[in-house]
Amino acid sequence: MQREYSREKLLNVYRHMVQTRIFERECETLNKNKEILGSIHGSMGEEATSVGLAAVLREEDVLAPSYRDPGALFTKGLTTLDLVGMLFAKDCGKTKGRTRVLHVGDFSKNIYPPNPILGASQVIANGAALSFKMDKTDRVVLNIIGDGASNEGAVHEAMNFAAAKELPIVFAVENNRYAWSTPFEKNFKIHSFIERAIGYGMPGFICDGYDVIDVMDTVSDAIEHVRAGGGPALVECRTYRWSGHSGNDKNVYRPGDEIIRFRQNDPIRRLGDYMTAAGICMEEELQDIWSSVEKEIQDAITFSRTAPYPDPEEFFGMDTMMAVE
Amino acid sequence: MSIMTYAEALRASMREELKRDENVYLIGEDIGAYGGCYGVTAGLVDEFGEDRVMDTPISELAITGAAVGSAMQGKRPVVEIMYADFLTVASDQIINQACRMRYILGKEVKVPLVVRTAYGGGGRYSFNHSQSPEANFMNAPGLTIMMPSTPADAKGLMTAAIRSDNPVLLFEQKYLYKTLKGEVPDGEHIVPIGKGDIKRPGSDVTVVATGWMVHKALEAAGNLEKEGISVEVIDPRTLKPLDEEMILKSVAKTGRLVTMHEASLTGGFGAEVCAIVAEKAFDCLKKPVKRIAAPDLIIPFSPNLEDMFYPGAGELEDAVRKMM
């Protein structure tokens, strides 16, 4: 269903998409220059999906993102420094050097950690939904799944469990067409995740993951169904990742000029063009967003470069039940 | 005091905690109207309703994951995994998830999760319904592991587990459910986490045994007493955290250590106890330590084979005699 969004809301969405884009660009550069440790899992190209999904949640709703969702994390309230500090494994990062970005969560902001053990996030997200149902609140959970992860056994258990228990949860599949390097067609005999939704007895929705307005409209429909007590729903967002799966992926498995084709359909430019054409804002305002986000991210990088590593005493002094500050 | 079976004592604890705290709920396969595979939760659904004694699809990962996610929201779930052998299916949630949440999210998040499960032999069920996989979980930081041997400890440990703010894995010996009766304190009874119990004091040999094997050890100790050998039987009750002090103090007195468990020998709980004693009380030892355990084989079906497979009192008696 088409909905109305305030100018302020759309500018915020635009900002979070830009924040995600520049963050990912910097991740790639820092990774290439070997300035940061571990690996990165880029989401460039998927900004409309990741941001759009989280943009329609209420503060009290739980977001349980995939590990490729900085857009959703920024939208739900994590800061640039929270994540940039984590890239450098510094004390100023959200988890103070204890984890990589693919584990970051924030309970006070109702963000459950993403999970590199694929399928684990879905069954845990169900638990938050179960407790909301037990408490008779109208809070909902938004859980984000990659198309690749959706083939884990745990996801099957989670979706059936959610349906059987009529849990208030939306499973949003970010279908970016590749499970690491393996294309969708090789991993699936279905054409759309709606077929799976039907199999589990929940309504399925589908949207253009490169059109943030369509993402917001569609996930809002799903959330409405769920919040009204109708049980879980599934939303498929058709999207596309420009980068490799991770920092050391050469990204050479895509046919022809597929990436170029999707880059021409840049989701950020699409939203900007719509907003200026519809008279919602001026081009200059969008440019200001780009430059202020750029500065914010560069400042965070500069700060993190020289910031201290975590205090070993704090880590090794931790009690065995891992109760950390 | 009341006389209860091991299963009744577990149920008494869960019933009291369900009454005491509305955040406590039970979740698992066939635990409601059916009362659980071994009847441990029998009748509780009638008293507390289906929302608090919740039947689920056969999905150990989804059950345990839902418990983890709801525990983070302040619920206190008690999961029944029908057989400990099925823990492998849920083990990602126990090892990689439940025990990591506080580390990731910080102190304000608690994971008051109990996973209770029927383990061990005596049921004539062969492997995949008879294993004792506690050692598989010993190496998971942040996990509390319990193994009660008596009805009183079963009640006291279950209550401690439910009230703990951290994940607990509670192994219930399936043969003891209905065959073992004992005195159980009425009302609130808590066995502190990390506190062992000297089931029989002695001065010549320390035997550290778990679960069903505690009873085998007591049988052996009774027989050896007639030969003038005094055996101290220690039941650690919580395998992790372990009451090292009790074990070290006992070995300092006896100078001899035997460990005994149902699980296979290699990498077992007994190996950990022996390592601790070798590390911290080596000078007290008069004889090399001895581990008594099941062999590193698959649990067989035929009763003659199963009876030989699990350690018995006779094996312990022989080991102790050789040490004297």
Side-chain angles (χ1 to χ4, degrees):
Chain A
M1 186 178 89
Q2 275 201 331
R3 286 156 206 271
E4 297 283 326
Y5 302 99
S6 69
R7 176 186 129 88
E8 190 196 356
K9 178 83 184 172
L10 291 175
L11 283 172
N12 252 329
V13 165
Y14 188 86
R15 185 182 180 90
H16 287 132
M17 288 169 71
V18 172
Q19 189 181 10
T20 308
R21 174 70 54 84
I22 299 178
F23 172 78
E24 295 291 18
R25 187 199 70 204
E26 288 304 310
C27 281
E28 284 187 6
T29 309
L30 293 165
N31 181 64
K32 213 167 119 195
N33 297 343
K34 300 196 177 356
E35 264 207 80
I36 53 174
L37 303 167
S39 186
I40 54 166
H41 300 89
S43 70
M44 219 185 267
E46 301 185 28
E47 298 88 350
T49 299
S50 191
V51 172
L53 287 171
V56 297
L57 290 176
R58 294 180 188 166
E59 207 177 309
E60 69 269 23
D61 293 335
V62 161
L63 167 74
S66 86
Y67 62 84
R68 203 189 298 285
D69 276 311
L73 294 170
F74 288 140
T75 305
K76 199 80 171 81
L78 290 194
T79 67
T80 295
L81 186 60
D82 282 342
L83 297 197
V84 170
M86 291 183 79
L87 295 175
F88 286 87
K90 295 294 181 71
D91 197 52
C92 60
K94 182 71 202 168
T95 62
K96 299 181 170 189
R98 293 194 303 273
T99 79
R100 290 158 66 195
V101 171
L102 42 65
H103 286 293
V104 68
D106 187 333
F107 202 68
S108 68
K109 296 190 165 75
N110 291 308
I111 302 170
Y112 270 39
N115 218 304
I117 299 195
L118 301 181
S121 165
Q122 284 65 53
V123 292
I124 297 171
N126 268 346
L130 179 62
S131 70
F132 297 160
K133 192 180 180 202
M134 284 172 153
D135 291 342
K136 300 186 168 56
T137 72
D138 69 348
R139 295 169 75 183
V140 303
V141 178
L142 175 79
N143 177 238
I144 308 181
I145 316 169
D147 55 300
S150 78
N151 285 332
E152 288 282 359
V155 176
H156 165 66
E157 287 197 17
M159 290 201 179
N160 181 67
F161 187 96
K165 297 289 174 194
E166 298 176 330
L167 301 184
I169 184 166
V170 174
F171 297 108
V173 180
E174 284 176 332
N175 181 1
N176 67 16
R177 299 184 178 217
Y178 288 89
W180 192 315
S181 69
T182 310
F184 185 88
E185 293 72 23
K186 278 194 174 177
N187 280 338
F188 293 87
K189 279 293 178 190
I190 54 171
H191 300 285
S192 157
F193 283 92
I194 289 179
E195 294 172 52
R196 289 211 176 162
I198 293 165
Y200 292 116
M202 64 177 86
F205 301 78
I206 190 161
C207 62
D208 176 357
Y210 265 47
D211 177 356
V212 73
I213 305 281
D214 193 31
V215 173
M216 288 160 70
D217 283 347
T218 308
V219 74
S220 296
D221 290 345
I223 287 173
E224 246 172 38
H225 163 88
V226 168
R227 215 185 288 283
L234 185 149
V235 178
E236 175 179 359
C237 307
R238 293 266 171 104
T239 183
Y240 190 84
R241 134 167 85 77
W242 297 353
S243 58
H245 156 73
S246 62
N248 55 10
D249 174 357
K250 303 270 185 296
N251 202 13
V252 292
Y253 38 79
R254 299 164 195 268
D257 53 8
E258 191 182 76
I259 295 181
I260 296 171
R261 181 159 65 87
F262 276 93
R263 276 183 178 268
Q264 300 321 301
N265 195 12
D266 183 335
I268 301 181
R269 195 165 59 227
R270 268 178 79 169
L271 175 62
D273 287 352
Y274 157 66
M275 287 170 75
T276 49
I280 295 166
C281 69
M282 308 287 282
E283 179 62 31
E284 292 73 28
E285 289 174 271
L286 300 180
Q287 285 312 315
D288 286 349
I289 288 176
W290 279 92
S291 47
S292 83
V293 170
E294 182 76 55
K295 181 174 183 315
E296 182 182 308
I297 291 181
Q298 295 306 331
D299 287 350
I301 290 171
T302 307
F303 182 84
S304 299
R305 271 194 184 112
T306 54
Y309 281 113
D311 178 4
E313 272 184 41
E314 198 178 309
F315 179 85
F316 291 102
M318 193 186 309
D319 72 42
T320 54
M321 291 307 167
M322 319 299 148
V324 291
E325 292 296 343
Chain B
M1 290 281 183
S2 309
I3 302 293
M4 287 184 189
T5 65
Y6 187 87
E8 285 164 350
L10 291 162
R11 188 187 312 135
S13 164
M14 287 188 274
R15 184 167 176 271
E16 283 169 24
E17 293 307 296
L18 280 161
K19 271 172 102 161
R20 193 184 70 88
D21 183 348
E22 60 177 19
N23 286 318
V24 175
Y25 77 98
L26 316 185
I27 181 168
E29 297 156 7
D30 308 294
I31 64 165
Y34 190 77
C37 179
Y38 285 93
V40 179
T41 55
L44 294 177
V45 72
D46 302 324
E47 195 174 345
F48 299 100
E50 290 182 358
D51 287 346
R52 298 190 66 204
V53 183
M54 194 182 298
D55 278 331
T56 66
I58 300 173
S59 302
E60 285 82 7
L61 254 177
I63 296 164
T64 315
V68 172
S70 65
M72 291 163 68
Q73 293 291 333
K75 302 293 172 199
R76 307 189 86 85
V78 181
V79 173
E80 176 173 310
I81 298 291
M82 196 179 280
Y83 285 89
D85 314 71
F86 307 167
L87 281 174
T88 45
V89 182
S91 63
D92 172 56
Q93 283 299 313
I94 298 167
I95 295 170
N96 283 327
Q97 311 302 336
C99 297
R100 304 283 199 272
M101 287 303 170
R102 303 192 80 176
Y103 178 81
I104 295 170
L105 294 167
K107 236 176 197 162
E108 79 265 38
V109 177
K110 293 172 179 152
V111 187
L113 164 75
V114 182
V115 177
R116 45 171 292 266
T117 187
Y119 85 95
R124 307 300 191 205
Y125 296 128
S126 78
F127 69 97
N128 288 2
H129 289 78
S130 300
Q131 292 167 113
S132 305
E134 68 276 10
N136 295 355
F137 296 88
M138 289 286 292
N139 211 251
L143 187 62
T144 298
I145 304 175
M146 300 176 168
M147 210 172 232
S149 69
T150 67
D153 286 349
K155 183 179 179 187
L157 287 170
M158 176 68 84
T159 304
I162 294 173
R163 295 195 192 179
S164 167
D165 284 337
N166 295 298
V168 176
L169 184 51
L170 194 149
F171 287 96
E172 304 168 358
Q173 216 292 341
K174 67 173 75 72
Y175 176 70
L176 301 182
Y177 274 141
K178 285 173 185 153
T179 61
L180 183 68
K181 279 188 177 176
E183 283 197 338
V184 177
D186 295 320
E188 184 174 284
H189 170 55
I190 299 174
V191 170
I193 291 171
K195 192 86 195 84
D197 188 35
I198 298 174
K199 295 293 188 212
R200 180 190 171 110
S203 54
D204 294 328
V205 184
T206 301
V207 175
V208 178
T210 54
W212 189 18
M213 293 300 110
V214 171
H215 302 280
K216 303 276 184 194
L218 289 170
E219 185 189 333
N223 293 335
L224 289 163
E225 190 183 28
K226 293 170 202 152
E227 301 169 25
I229 303 172
S230 168
V231 175
E232 179 148 296
V233 178
I234 291 182
D235 174 2
R237 303 192 291 194
T238 45
L239 277 48
K240 197 181 174 186
L242 179 64
D243 192 345
E244 287 187 17
E245 198 190 330
M246 178 176 281
I247 295 167
L248 293 171
K249 243 169 117 174
S250 175
V251 172
K253 177 174 67 178
T254 62
R256 297 177 184 88
L257 172 71
V258 184
T259 63
M260 189 173 189
H261 53 61
E262 273 184 71
S264 290
L265 181 74
T266 302
F269 171 69
E272 179 66 20
V273 173
C274 289
I276 290 166
V277 168
E279 226 171 41
K280 299 183 178 173
F282 189 74
D283 295 340
C284 303
L285 288 172
K286 296 171 188 162
K287 288 287 162 77
V289 297
K290 173 72 185 169
R291 293 173 296 160
I292 293 179
D296 289 329
L297 291 171
I298 311 300
I299 299 168
F301 179 43
S302 276
N304 67 321
L305 299 178
E306 185 185 318
D307 288 345
M308 289 167 74
F309 182 85
Y310 289 113
E315 202 177 334
L316 176 58
E317 288 166 34
D318 289 345
V320 169
R321 283 190 200 103
K322 278 184 197 153
M323 276 188 168
M324 298 310 296

